Every structure is written in C-alpha cells, then in structure tokens.
Amino acid sequence: MKYLDCVEVIVEKERYAKDGVHKGMQGVIWDENKKDGCWLVYFTQCGEKEDIGDICIKEEDLKEIPVMHAIINEQIKAKFENSEK
C-alpha cells in the first residue's frame, strides 16, 4: 500500500468504531509513510456532509480497492446510527 491508495476496512474494531469508522468503510491513505504498522486513512462522505475524518488503521485491517465510493460510508454510518437509537 502507498499514499493515495484507496482502501476498505475489513474488520470491525471498537477502537475504529469510537472514531466512527466501521467494517466496509472506504477511504484513502493520507500519509506517505506507514507508522508502527498503521496507515493514516481519510474517510469522507458525499457532497457537503461532514467528513468522518482520518484515523490510523493497521495495515492488516485494510484491503486495497480500485476506487472508493463515499456513498458506502454514508450507508454504513446510517446503519450504526439507527442501531444506537
């Protein structure tokens, strides 16, 4: 993996979830260097919606994808928000 690669989170972990990132969400590697086995990954939503943010994700918890789709992040986020109600 490298800077600006598109990736998908392949595991559900509490430490990612507390930052609003869940299994299946897609993002972009946002730093040129991996640190302690982790990549800084930036997660967005569509249009004017607030971005989910950037967090460090372990490399083994990611898979490379050809292109990211922010709509997937919105759908996953909505599922978790609805399940908390």
Side-chain angles (χ1 to χ4, degrees):
M1 292 181 193
K2 63 187 182 315
Y3 178 60
L4 296 181
D5 278 351
C6 296
V7 293
E8 181 178 313
V9 180
I10 58 172
V11 297
E12 181 70 27
K13 287 191 173 177
E14 188 175 329
R15 69 184 209 186
Y16 304 151
K18 73 177 184 173
D19 289 315
V21 175
H22 302 280
K23 180 180 179 180
M25 285 190 165
Q26 300 178 355
V28 176
I29 293 179
W30 211 238
D31 196 339
E32 293 184 11
N33 300 304
K34 178 171 57 169
K35 184 176 181 183
D36 298 327
C38 297
W39 289 102
L40 183 64
V41 181
Y42 187 66
F43 297 90
T44 63
Q45 296 190 86
C46 295
E48 299 296 317
K49 294 181 180 171
E50 186 176 326
D51 292 333
I52 296 165
D54 53 355
I55 69 167
C56 291
I57 307 272
K58 289 197 166 285
E59 184 169 49
E60 62 264 20
D61 296 342
L62 297 169
K63 74 173 181 180
E64 260 185 90
I65 56 174
V67 65
M68 71 153 291
H69 300 281
I71 189 72
I72 291 172
N73 294 345
E74 288 183 26
Q75 293 166 348
I76 293 170
K77 183 178 178 185
K79 284 181 189 175
F80 278 90
E81 287 174 346
N82 289 336
S83 70
E84 292 174 357
K85 292 179 180 178

